[in-house]
Amino acid sequence: MKKLDSKRQILFGKNLLRIRNEKGLSQDEVAARCRVTKGSLSVIENGGRNFSFTTLLALAKALEVQPKELLDLDFDLN
């Protein structure tokens, strides 16, 4: 299950990065808006960290998107 979770984290990170780039925001800007470190944001974007629901909501608010947009991933649920 760990490998599958890692793949999901990578997909989430890529989606987060795509949305951040579409919004024209730097990691510094998003990190400051959601009160995480730039390093933590980088790790999330690279799929290296599982994070809390609170962080998901903060990221969505920082990017001015609905949380479901961050979770709009195409992966197998099994």
Side-chain angles (χ1 to χ4, degrees):
M1 184 62 130
K2 190 122 173 124
K3 187 166 185 134
L4 184 57
D5 289 342
S6 178
K7 287 181 182 179
R8 291 173 180 166
Q9 287 171 208
I10 290 168
L11 287 172
F12 178 87
K14 287 181 179 180
N15 194 42
L16 173 62
L17 175 62
R18 178 188 60 77
I19 292 169
R20 181 176 63 76
N21 285 334
E22 286 176 358
K23 299 278 184 173
L25 298 169
S26 70
Q27 282 185 334
D28 286 321
E29 291 170 310
V30 173
R33 288 181 182 186
C34 61
R35 297 196 170 128
V36 301
T37 66
K38 180 181 174 183
S40 292
L41 181 58
S42 177
V43 171
I44 293 170
E45 286 185 345
N46 287 299
R49 177 175 292 162
N50 196 351
F51 53 90
S52 71
F53 181 69
T54 303
T55 301
L56 171 67
L57 296 177
L59 288 167
K61 185 175 181 179
L63 293 166
E64 299 177 342
V65 298
Q66 293 296 316
K68 67 183 179 181
E69 290 182 58
L70 291 171
L71 296 170
D72 187 15
L73 310 172
D74 186 20
F75 60 75
D76 185 5
L77 295 175
N78 297 317

